[in-house]
């Protein structure tokens, strides 16, 4: 999962190579980067603005289970956050036996004081869906869907004007990075005091 490094101050791209079948969409929102990023990390709120996300469950700090669908059709899958830099970048991958996608979202300040949010997704279809993705219209449909979800997020966060929560942790290679190292755990049982 190599990607270009950027400290957020130079304005350089922070892209992972996503190869041929990828979708890339950008939307500008009229809130500061910190507000947009903080709200984005509140995955459980996605059903409030999404046309396809029905439920999100936090399984572990780096793993979420998503239920998506239209009408009565539902699909549930798990996603692992593999990289996360507060106010800048988040990358994920599907955890299904045959991963169907991986992606990233990038947050950049705009000259107007808002935020440009770019989502890139690499689709890895299997079976009959793999044949369908050879047609440009299928990729265009996926791009329109991502664009619609971004516009939904834009309307949601601009309507709120502030984030409804935040998770500000850093993740590297699927592991949460702690600011200070955890003390070693004692092998001696902890006895109640008092």
């Amino acid at each position: 999962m190599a990607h270009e490094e950027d400290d957020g101050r130079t304005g350089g791209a922070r892209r992972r190579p996503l190869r041929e079948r990828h979708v890339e969409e950008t939307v500008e929102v009229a809130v500061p980067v910190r507000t947009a990023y903080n709200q984005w990390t509140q995955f459980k709120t996605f059903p409030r603005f999404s046309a396809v996300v029905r439920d999100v469950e936090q399984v572990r700090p780096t793993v979420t289970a998503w239920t998506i669908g239209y009408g009565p059709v539902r699909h549930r899958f798990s996603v692992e956050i593999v990289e996360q830099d507060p106010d800048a970048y988040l990358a994920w991958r599907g955890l299904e036996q045959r991963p169907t996608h991986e992606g990233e979202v990038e947050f950049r300040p705009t000259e107007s004081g808002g935020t440009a949010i770019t989502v890139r997704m690499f689709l890895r279809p299997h079976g009959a869906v793999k044949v369908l993705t050879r047609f440009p219209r299928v990729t265009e449909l996926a791009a329109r869907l991502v664009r619609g979800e971004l516009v939904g997020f834009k309307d949601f966060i601009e309507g709120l004007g502030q984030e409804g929560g935040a998770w500000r942790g850093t993740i590297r290679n699927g592991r949460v990075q702690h600011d200070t190292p955890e003390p070693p755990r004692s092998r001696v049982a902890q006895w109640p005091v008092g």
Side-chain angles (χ1 to χ4, degrees):
M1 299 268 172
H3 58 270
E4 294 177 23
E5 291 297 323
D6 180 83
D7 62 9
R9 289 174 282 208
T10 61
R14 184 178 176 86
R15 290 181 127 187
R16 297 173 336 157
L18 290 181
R19 299 172 294 282
E20 69 282 352
R21 278 192 296 262
H22 84 277
V23 171
E24 180 173 329
E25 291 294 327
T26 300
V27 69
E28 287 190 22
V29 297
V31 296
V33 167
R34 184 177 182 99
T35 301
Y37 172 87
N38 285 349
Q39 186 61 53
W40 190 275
T41 63
Q42 299 304 292
F43 302 121
K44 288 186 175 195
T45 65
F46 273 56
R48 292 177 60 190
F49 63 82
S50 173
V52 296
V53 178
R54 300 292 173 237
D55 184 56
V56 181
E57 177 187 343
Q58 190 78 41
V59 178
R60 294 190 308 265
T62 61
V63 176
T64 51
W66 295 69
T67 302
I68 62 170
Y70 281 114
V73 178
R74 299 283 188 265
H75 177 66
R76 184 173 168 90
F77 58 94
S78 294
V79 169
E80 177 185 31
I81 300 169
V82 292
E83 301 289 331
Q84 184 168 329
D85 290 320
D87 300 332
Y89 182 79
L90 186 141
W92 68 90
R93 67 182 178 97
L95 290 178
E96 295 175 319
Q97 185 176 8
R98 290 181 166 182
T100 56
H101 77 287
E102 61 185 76
E104 63 185 9
V105 60
E106 188 175 27
F107 302 85
R108 293 177 320 279
T110 62
E111 290 182 16
S112 64
T115 305
I117 302 171
T118 300
V119 171
R120 295 179 196 91
M121 289 179 58
F122 172 61
L123 310 172
R124 284 197 243 179
H126 296 278
V129 176
K130 186 173 188 173
V131 174
L132 289 175
T133 58
R134 292 182 185 150
F135 299 102
R137 288 186 183 246
V138 174
T139 304
E140 290 170 14
L141 177 63
R144 265 187 279 150
L145 182 62
V146 170
R147 177 79 178 156
E149 296 298 284
L150 279 172
V151 169
F153 179 77
K154 171 187 173 63
D155 294 343
F156 181 71
I157 190 62
E158 289 178 353
L160 288 176
Q162 63 185 26
E163 67 269 24
W167 191 81
R168 310 267 322 147
T170 299
I171 297 172
R172 295 279 183 266
N173 297 318
R175 296 187 184 271
V176 176
Q177 304 295 300
H178 298 284
D179 292 338
T180 56
E182 291 184 24
R185 294 188 175 153
S186 172
R187 294 184 181 188
V188 177
Q190 298 292 320
W191 297 98
V193 178

